[in-house]
Amino acid sequence: MAKGTITGTTSNQYIDAKVEWESVADPQYNQSTMVAKLYYRRTNTGFTTSGSGEFSISVGGWKKTEFISGVEIGTGWVLLMQHDVWFDHESDGTKSVTITATGSLNGTTLKYTSLSRTVALDTIPRASTVSASNVTLGNKCKVTWTPKATTLRYKLVFTLGDWEYETGYISPATTSSYTYTGYTIPLDVAEEIT
């Protein structure tokens, strides 16, 4: 999971803005889902800024805008809106997106918000190179690969002619060389050899 906080400025020196974001990668689809939340607060005690206005969050060009009434900004952080988006990663597994936010309250000193930053999401590991040694029918297979991340799961598919077998998920939980020997090639596969 990648996450971070982006701070911004406003037209009022005593009002702060920030966006807190986090993303979760999905290696199976080479995508990430991101949640971005927009907050405001006053830095001087004893004052409150209240009103209604328009606020927006843009993530990677996907923009969400809301008109919010009954806003009250005091000395504690106030969550005003949330934006949920998903992105395809690049072919090498990387992804960067630009997050921006704007906001103002009608008839108050909060006339604008300036907040923008480009952030990098977690890189999704690429596929591993698999090698398999020769095996005698009726004996266990021996398939070796080096996982790109400890969280990845794998399935192996064995085929010969019209015969096919797919394993369940394999979780090596390592980034070192891993050898799978959990399947015995059945003797009757020999019927597929012409």
Side-chain angles (χ1 to χ4, degrees), residues 9-15 40 42 44 47-51 73 103-113:
T9 59
T10 72
S11 56
N12 185 324
Q13 62 177 322
Y14 299 110
I15 300 178
Y40 284 84
R42 287 196 67 107
N44 54 342
F47 294 87
T48 301
T49 299
S50 305
I73 301 174
S104 62
L105 287 176
N106 298 330
T108 73
T109 55
L110 180 57
K111 299 183 182 302
Y112 67 82
T113 301

Side-chain angles (χ1 to χ4, degrees), residues 48 62-63 98 115-116 142 144 175 182:
T48 301
W62 295 95
K63 186 176 183 179
T98 298
L115 186 154
S116 180
K142 187 176 181 181
T144 302
T175 55

